[in-house]
Amino acid sequence: MESENKYLSAILPLKKREETQNRWLFHRLNTLLPALMKKHKVDMWITAGREYNEDPVLKSLYPTSVDGSRRLTILVFYLDQEHLKKWVLHPNPNFEPFYERAWNPEECDQWECLKRLVDEHNPDTIALNYSSTFAAADGLSHSCYQQLSMLLDEHSHKFVSAQHVIVDWLSIRTTKELVAYPAIAELGRMIAEEALSRRVIHPGITTTEDVVDWIRQRVLDAGMETSFYPTVDLQRKGSVMDRLEGEIIRFGDIVHLDFGIRYLGLATDTQQLAYVLHPGEEEAPEGLQSALQTALRFEDIITGEMKVGRTGNEVFHRAMKKAREEEIEAMLYSHPLGNHCHEAGAIIGLYDQQNDIPIKGDLPLTANTCYALEFNIQQYIPEWDQVIPIYLEEPVAFIQHRLEYMAKRQIAYYLI
């Protein structure tokens, strides 16, 4: 009960959450976004979305009191040398003071207002949200693109993809967010720890699905949401499957949890492990402990290779090379964290592609970004006379170019 109260008491009431997120947004719009548009040589960025079919990046640009596009919403960003002008073409007053309302419905429609802004400022480049590589940067609908092409026909040769601005906007965290993100990651870890305990799991009775249901209800009751549908599976002595699901949890099982929360607009993603003690046992068998230590060694290898400026592919190959040299049978598939669980940005391997990843893997790791350090190793367990996988995942962050764990690192099994 004490641990429960500890993490539940840290969850802010709704009004405080909104105030926090709005402070972060105001800071991001006025500090981060101008730097990103300058970095990627974008003069103007236009983002448009219609009600119930919003461009996915719009949610990251809205203050908390704006929950949707309401017919049509157009945001326009214009970098005038060092100063960023931010316009909204929508009558909702809640967009202020984040954006200047530039549209008067009594004078013209939104598209005519947009054309006037573009004509007046005559930018050299106009970034639009289309991309064949990054899903979050591909949110401009076909009809909106057609409308923009017709409306801005004399400017259409200036159209460029906004994907590089969007990737950085979604993946880079400001200093204010980096202060809070570790607490969010630790909150997710503490929920996972409670789920992998006798408070929830009763060997011989509780199923893996029961644990999933408990986690989802716990997160919902706390006024949050999971960042993806959690999974709970088992490694079991004698099993031909390495991830048993829908099973009753038994003595001697390894319980593997893959889980994350979304809180204050930021997602977490972690994988944690527990061992179910046989009656009379006080710790996991030596073979299982040795396998976990091998996994932690590979984790150290990965963190040692994750450097700002290296591409995801470079990190992947360097880490896997060292694993082979140490005879560690490993797979590596880490991804950025941010507004989305699988955030845009440099990826380090994929579960089903253990090699170079075109484009996404060629991106460099950047400062002030966060990652789900995700991987597995396989090792022979003498007590089980079989090879089993050890799946782990930890949220980490580049803070002042130094990679740090955002939550308490798991270095031993939770014991049930």
Side-chain angles (χ1 to χ4, degrees), residues 106-312:
E106 296 180 0
E107 296 178 352
C108 61
D109 67 22
Q110 286 156 288
W111 295 112
E112 291 170 335
C113 180
L114 175 62
K115 179 169 172 41
R116 175 178 58 80
L117 287 173
V118 176
D119 287 344
E120 285 180 0
H121 295 88
N122 193 26
D124 291 333
T125 55
I126 301 173
L128 303 178
N129 296 3
Y130 57 82
S131 171
S132 60
T133 303
F134 301 98
D138 195 35
L140 184 65
S141 70
H142 181 66
S143 62
C144 282
Y145 181 79
Q146 286 181 315
Q147 184 72 23
L148 285 165
S149 296
M150 285 191 305
L151 181 78
L152 304 176
D153 180 60
E154 64 270 37
H155 299 280
S156 61
H157 64 284
K158 304 174 184 178
F159 290 173
V160 297
S161 171
Q163 63 182 8
H164 296 302
V165 171
I166 293 172
V167 166
D168 281 353
W169 169 257
L170 292 175
S171 63
I172 294 176
R173 310 265 62 86
T174 63
T175 53
K176 294 179 183 293
E177 292 170 303
L178 284 174
V179 169
Y181 215 157
I184 298 171
E186 178 62 11
L187 175 60
R189 189 205 64 81
M190 293 179 73
I191 296 173
E193 182 179 11
E194 184 179 12
L196 298 175
S197 75
R198 285 301 289 263
R199 281 181 56 87
V200 177
I201 296 175
H202 303 279
I205 299 174
T206 307
T207 68
T208 56
E209 292 171 338
D210 292 335
V211 183
V212 170
D213 291 340
W214 181 91
I215 291 169
R216 296 179 65 232
Q217 191 66 53
R218 169 63 94 203
V219 173
L220 180 65
D221 290 346
M224 301 183 295
E225 59 182 347
T226 55
S227 56
F228 57 95
Y229 201 98
T231 59
V232 175
D233 51 69
L234 309 172
Q235 279 77 54
R236 174 175 291 166
K237 181 179 181 179
S239 173
V240 295
M241 294 183 61
D242 65 9
R243 296 183 68 168
L244 289 171
E245 295 186 61
E247 294 276 334
I248 294 174
I249 298 169
R250 302 176 185 170
F251 297 120
D253 285 345
I254 295 175
V255 186
H256 165 248
L257 167 63
D258 191 354
F259 158 68
I261 61 171
R262 187 183 307 281
Y263 178 55
L264 297 178
L266 297 174
T268 75
D269 192 1
T270 187
Q271 294 181 48
Q272 303 276 282
L273 298 172
Y275 175 73
V276 186
L277 295 166
H278 285 283
E281 268 190 322
E282 295 184 357
E283 58 186 17
E286 288 186 10
L288 295 183
Q289 294 190 54
S290 173
L292 180 57
Q293 291 306 308
T294 301
L296 294 175
R297 171 57 191 150
F298 185 51
E299 197 169 74
D300 288 339
I301 291 172
I302 303 167
T303 57
E305 296 300 334
M306 291 180 71
K307 306 288 186 185
V308 170
R310 284 183 182 169
T311 68

Side-chain angles (χ1 to χ4, degrees), residues 12-135:
L12 296 173
L14 180 60
K15 190 65 176 178
K16 292 293 185 182
R17 296 188 208 184
E18 292 179 343
E19 291 172 355
T20 300
Q21 289 180 253
N22 283 338
R23 284 197 302 271
W24 290 353
L25 175 62
F26 196 80
H27 184 241
R28 287 173 64 83
L29 288 172
N30 289 286
T31 59
L32 178 60
L33 188 53
L36 297 182
M37 290 181 66
K38 183 177 181 181
K39 171 185 174 182
H40 296 295
K41 298 180 174 56
V42 168
D43 296 322
M44 181 175 282
W45 177 27
I46 299 172
T47 299
R50 296 190 301 170
E51 190 170 9
Y52 304 126
N53 190 38
E54 285 91 351
D55 183 310
V57 80
L58 275 174
K59 190 171 184 180
S60 72
L61 295 164
Y62 282 168
T64 57
S65 57
V66 178
D67 60 1
S69 293
R70 295 297 188 272
R71 297 183 184 174
L72 171 67
T73 299
I74 303 174
L75 298 178
V76 183
F77 304 94
Y78 176 64
L79 189 62
D80 183 7
Q81 296 180 347
E82 299 297 322
H83 178 67
L84 181 66
K85 297 182 183 295
K86 305 178 293 295
W87 296 296
V88 59
L89 280 58
H90 196 279
N92 189 343
N94 291 322
F95 278 105
E96 296 174 328
F98 304 88
Y99 303 95
E100 176 187 350
R101 285 190 290 160
W103 174 49
N104 184 347
E106 296 180 0
E107 296 178 352
C108 61
D109 67 22
Q110 286 156 288
W111 295 112
E112 291 170 335
C113 180
L114 175 62
K115 179 169 172 41
R116 175 178 58 80
L117 287 173
V118 176
D119 287 344
E120 285 180 0
H121 295 88
N122 193 26
D124 291 333
T125 55
I126 301 173
L128 303 178
N129 296 3
Y130 57 82
S131 171
S132 60
T133 303
F134 301 98

Side-chain angles (χ1 to χ4, degrees), residues 354-371:
Q354 291 292 287
N355 45 42
D356 277 351
I357 308 301
I359 306 178
K360 293 181 180 180
D362 293 326
L363 291 176
L365 279 64
T366 53
N368 300 331
T369 54
C370 304
Y371 276 80

